[in-house]
Amino acid sequence: MKKNIDLTAEQKLVLFEDGTESPGTSDLNNEKREGSYYCVNCDEKLFDSTAKYESGSGWPSFYQSLPDAFETKTDTLLGYERVEYHCKKCGGHHGHIFEDGPDPTGKRYCNNGVCLIFKPKN
Protein backbone atom coordinates (compact mmCIF):
# COMPACT_ATOMS: atom_id res chain seq x y z
CA MET A 1 0.00 0.00 0.00
CA LYS A 2 1.51 3.28 -1.14
CA LYS A 3 1.06 6.26 1.16
CA ASN A 4 1.67 9.85 0.23
CA ILE A 5 4.03 11.38 2.78
CA ASP A 6 3.12 14.88 1.59
CA LEU A 7 -0.47 14.86 2.90
CA THR A 8 -1.66 18.01 4.66
CA ALA A 9 -2.98 17.88 8.22
CA GLU A 10 -6.53 18.23 6.87
CA GLN A 11 -6.05 15.38 4.39
CA LYS A 12 -4.72 13.11 7.16
CA LEU A 13 -7.64 14.09 9.41
CA VAL A 14 -10.25 13.23 6.76
CA LEU A 15 -8.58 10.14 5.31
CA PHE A 16 -7.48 8.44 8.53
CA GLU A 17 -9.21 10.07 11.53
CA ASP A 18 -12.90 10.26 10.43
CA GLY A 19 -12.74 14.01 9.77
CA THR A 20 -14.77 15.99 7.24
CA GLU A 21 -13.81 19.12 5.34
CA SER A 22 -16.11 22.13 5.61
CA PRO A 23 -18.82 22.22 2.92
CA GLY A 24 -18.25 24.58 0.00
CA THR A 25 -14.49 24.78 0.50
CA SER A 26 -13.27 22.44 -2.25
CA ASP A 27 -12.12 23.90 -5.57
CA LEU A 28 -13.30 20.61 -7.11
CA ASN A 29 -16.93 21.66 -6.57
CA ASN A 30 -16.53 23.91 -9.63
CA GLU A 31 -14.43 21.51 -11.73
CA LYS A 32 -16.25 20.94 -15.04
CA ARG A 33 -13.52 19.57 -17.32
CA GLU A 34 -13.38 16.02 -18.63
CA GLY A 35 -11.01 13.80 -16.73
CA SER A 36 -10.70 11.51 -13.74
CA TYR A 37 -10.52 11.79 -9.97
CA TYR A 38 -7.86 9.91 -8.00
CA CYS A 39 -7.18 9.18 -4.33
CA VAL A 40 -4.77 11.83 -3.00
CA ASN A 41 -3.08 9.22 -0.81
CA CYS A 42 -2.38 6.35 -3.22
CA ASP A 43 -3.24 7.71 -6.70
CA GLU A 44 -5.92 5.06 -7.34
CA LYS A 45 -8.45 6.13 -10.00
CA LEU A 46 -11.86 6.41 -8.29
CA PHE A 47 -14.29 8.42 -10.46
CA ASP A 48 -14.75 9.60 -14.03
CA SER A 49 -15.88 13.18 -14.57
CA THR A 50 -18.92 11.89 -16.49
CA ALA A 51 -20.40 10.71 -13.16
CA LYS A 52 -19.91 14.07 -11.39
CA TYR A 53 -22.90 16.33 -10.76
CA GLU A 54 -23.89 19.34 -8.67
CA SER A 55 -25.75 17.98 -5.65
CA GLY A 56 -26.02 21.24 -3.72
CA SER A 57 -24.42 19.51 -0.72
CA GLY A 58 -21.21 21.57 -0.71
CA TRP A 59 -18.99 18.57 -1.52
CA PRO A 60 -17.96 17.08 -4.88
CA SER A 61 -20.63 14.49 -5.71
CA PHE A 62 -20.75 11.55 -8.09
CA TYR A 63 -23.57 9.15 -8.99
CA GLN A 64 -21.18 6.22 -9.42
CA SER A 65 -17.61 5.22 -8.75
CA LEU A 66 -15.35 3.07 -10.85
CA PRO A 67 -15.85 -0.67 -10.28
CA ASP A 68 -14.12 -2.05 -7.18
CA ALA A 69 -12.72 1.37 -6.20
CA PHE A 70 -14.17 1.37 -2.68
CA GLU A 71 -15.04 -0.74 0.33
CA THR A 72 -17.95 0.31 2.53
CA LYS A 73 -18.93 0.08 6.17
CA THR A 74 -21.75 1.36 8.37
CA ASP A 75 -20.99 4.62 10.18
CA THR A 76 -23.05 5.59 13.26
CA LEU A 77 -20.87 8.51 14.39
CA LEU A 78 -23.79 10.98 14.11
CA GLY A 79 -26.26 8.70 15.89
CA TYR A 80 -27.82 7.19 12.77
CA GLU A 81 -26.62 4.77 10.11
CA ARG A 82 -24.76 6.02 7.06
CA VAL A 83 -22.75 4.12 4.45
CA GLU A 84 -19.14 5.23 4.62
CA TYR A 85 -16.73 4.44 1.78
CA HIS A 86 -12.97 3.95 1.76
CA CYS A 87 -10.39 3.61 -1.00
CA LYS A 88 -9.96 -0.11 -1.55
CA LYS A 89 -6.24 0.30 -2.26
CA CYS A 90 -5.12 2.36 0.77
CA GLY A 91 -8.10 2.39 3.13
CA GLY A 92 -8.46 6.18 3.13
CA HIS A 93 -11.95 7.48 4.06
CA HIS A 94 -13.49 9.56 1.26
CA GLY A 95 -17.09 10.18 2.26
CA HIS A 96 -20.57 8.69 2.44
CA ILE A 97 -23.03 7.21 -0.06
CA PHE A 98 -26.60 8.49 0.05
CA GLU A 99 -29.69 7.26 -1.79
CA ASP A 100 -30.75 10.71 -3.10
CA GLY A 101 -28.66 10.93 -6.28
CA PRO A 102 -29.73 11.22 -9.90
CA ASP A 103 -30.44 8.51 -12.45
CA PRO A 104 -29.19 6.07 -13.51
CA THR A 105 -28.01 4.89 -10.04
CA GLY A 106 -29.91 7.04 -7.54
CA LYS A 107 -26.67 7.21 -5.53
CA ARG A 108 -24.74 10.22 -4.26
CA TYR A 109 -21.11 9.61 -3.44
CA CYS A 110 -20.50 12.68 -1.27
CA ASN A 111 -16.71 13.01 -1.39
CA ASN A 112 -14.37 15.20 0.60
CA GLY A 113 -12.54 17.23 -2.04
CA VAL A 114 -9.27 17.21 -0.06
CA CYS A 115 -9.13 13.45 -0.65
CA LEU A 116 -9.18 13.78 -4.43
CA ILE A 117 -6.80 14.79 -7.19
CA PHE A 118 -8.34 15.75 -10.52
CA LYS A 119 -6.43 14.87 -13.68
CA PRO A 120 -7.82 16.40 -16.88
CA LYS A 121 -8.25 14.29 -19.98
CA ASN A 122 -5.48 14.83 -22.52
Side-chain angles (χ1 to χ4, degrees), residues 14-28:
V14 173
L15 286 165
F16 301 111
E17 300 171 32
D18 292 326
T20 301
E21 71 184 350
S22 297
T25 59
S26 176
D27 291 338
L28 295 179

Side-chain angles (χ1 to χ4, degrees), residues 1-73:
M1 165 176 55
K2 175 186 169 194
K3 285 202 173 183
N4 187 336
I5 58 172
D6 296 327
L7 294 175
T8 67
E10 184 180 26
Q11 288 168 326
K12 290 175 187 174
L13 176 71
V14 173
L15 286 165
F16 301 111
E17 300 171 32
D18 292 326
T20 301
E21 71 184 350
S22 297
T25 59
S26 176
D27 291 338
L28 295 179
N29 284 335
N30 299 316
E31 182 58 66
K32 307 286 188 233
R33 296 175 289 173
E34 281 188 63
S36 299
Y37 294 83
Y38 294 77
C39 179
V40 71
N41 186 57
C42 69
D43 206 37
E44 182 75 3
K45 187 175 175 183
L46 305 174
F47 299 102
D48 282 325
S49 62
T50 55
K52 187 173 184 285
Y53 74 100
E54 176 50 57
S55 68
S57 68
W59 290 277
S61 298
F62 304 85
Y63 62 79
Q64 71 183 15
S65 68
L66 292 175
D68 296 319
F70 296 110
E71 293 180 336
T72 62
K73 73 174 190 176

Side-chain angles (χ1 to χ4, degrees), residues 60-120:
S61 298
F62 304 85
Y63 62 79
Q64 71 183 15
S65 68
L66 292 175
D68 296 319
F70 296 110
E71 293 180 336
T72 62
K73 73 174 190 176
T74 301
D75 167 16
T76 57
L77 193 62
L78 297 180
Y80 58 92
E81 289 188 358
R82 300 183 296 171
V83 177
E84 183 178 296
Y85 61 98
H86 299 258
C87 177
K88 196 169 188 177
K89 185 174 178 182
C90 73
H93 163 77
H94 279 260
H96 293 85
I97 304 170
F98 299 97
E99 300 293 330
D100 59 2
D103 289 336
T105 66
K107 306 272 187 214
R108 173 171 51 102
Y109 287 77
C110 189
N111 211 102
N112 287 280
V114 296
C115 299
L116 296 172
I117 295 172
F118 175 72
K119 298 180 184 180

